[in-house]
Amino acid sequence: MTHRLYLIRHGEQLDAEHGVSDGPLSPRGRRQAQALAERLGGVPFDAAWHSPLERAAETAEIIARRMPALQPEPSPLLFDCYPSGPAPETPSAYDAFFGSITEAEMEAGAAQMSDAAAEFLRSSREDRHDLLITHNFVIGWFVREALGAAAWRWVSISQAHCGLTILTQKPGRPWSLLVHNDLAHLPPELRTGLSETYAL
């Protein structure tokens, strides 16, 4: 018996480069979501959830069109957030990033992700395929949690738009990282959300 958790970052957002905090997908973002939907078409999903933000909700809607039996539900546990603050051992290279986040944002993010772990990383005694459509930092946190890495390490784990990450768990065993940021379903011109170094 295996529980599989499929983690998807939303498609590219329209006008995100202009500092727009949320909005619909760009034309390229819709193509990313369509390609991902084709990739996931044969997976027998049991349930799906998405962030309530528009870019994630639209990604979920496009995927659901390919799988009519799937009805993704919004979950506030999947909102974009800052899952933790820095630790004494956090490299100084991240000082500017963490310095731009308030203590309140860090505390809210940590509480959210604690609840998300309780909800989505529960052990299952049956085969399950669950889909989460969310945001870069949230996925980084889930991967960090599966690997048992330090709390701040989410900031060093990146996910491309509509990249595919899969966590798995068998009864009595910890969660494992099966796939991270798989982009095989996206041609090079649709690989966005990472630096050019990782987009190849």
Side-chain angles (χ1 to χ4, degrees):
M1 299 297 178
T2 303
H3 186 184
R4 296 173 179 85
L5 192 64
Y6 299 73
L7 301 168
I8 304 298
R9 185 183 179 189
H10 58 81
E12 182 186 71
Q13 179 190 325
L14 185 67
D15 293 332
E17 69 273 18
H18 300 303
V20 178
S21 60
D22 191 27
L25 298 180
S26 67
R28 182 161 57 183
R30 289 193 291 273
R31 289 176 60 200
Q32 291 166 340
Q34 289 161 359
L36 178 63
E38 290 297 319
R39 171 78 180 274
L40 297 177
V43 179
F45 286 113
D46 295 284
W49 295 269
H50 63 84
S51 161
L53 293 177
E54 184 176 0
R55 58 193 186 273
E58 186 178 352
T59 302
E61 179 184 347
I62 290 171
I63 292 173
R65 286 186 207 141
R66 177 68 174 75
M67 293 171 270
L70 192 65
Q71 297 183 331
E73 301 177 16
S75 171
L77 299 178
L78 298 177
F79 263 122
D80 202 4
C81 71
Y82 300 105
S84 79
E89 70 274 16
T90 304
S92 60
Y94 295 109
D95 286 352
F97 173 80
F98 281 112
S100 68
I101 307 169
T102 67
E103 287 292 334
E105 288 174 321
M106 295 177 199
E107 290 175 4
Q112 174 186 318
M113 296 316 301
S114 176
D115 290 344
E119 179 68 22
F120 298 118
L121 295 180
R122 290 178 296 179
S123 296
S124 175
R125 293 291 176 180
E126 58 185 12
D127 278 325
R128 283 195 64 86
H129 298 263
D130 291 330
L131 175 64
L132 305 183
I133 301 161
T134 182
H135 304 276
N136 187 38
F137 294 160
V138 174
I139 294 171
W141 186 91
F142 273 112
V143 171
R144 178 219 62 80
E145 183 76 2
L147 296 176
W152 65 270
R153 288 303 303 270
W154 60 269
V155 76
S156 66
I157 302 171
S158 294
Q159 182 93 356
H161 294 124
C162 287
L164 173 62
T165 289
I166 306 174
L167 305 181
T168 67
Q169 185 188 46
K170 292 182 179 295
R173 299 183 186 180
W175 283 91
S176 299
L177 178 63
L178 180 65
V179 171
H180 178 247
N181 199 37
D182 185 346
L183 304 179
H185 50 286
L186 299 176
E189 67 272 15
L190 293 185
R191 297 178 184 182
T192 62
L194 295 174
S195 69
E196 292 183 5
T197 302
Y198 296 102
L200 299 177

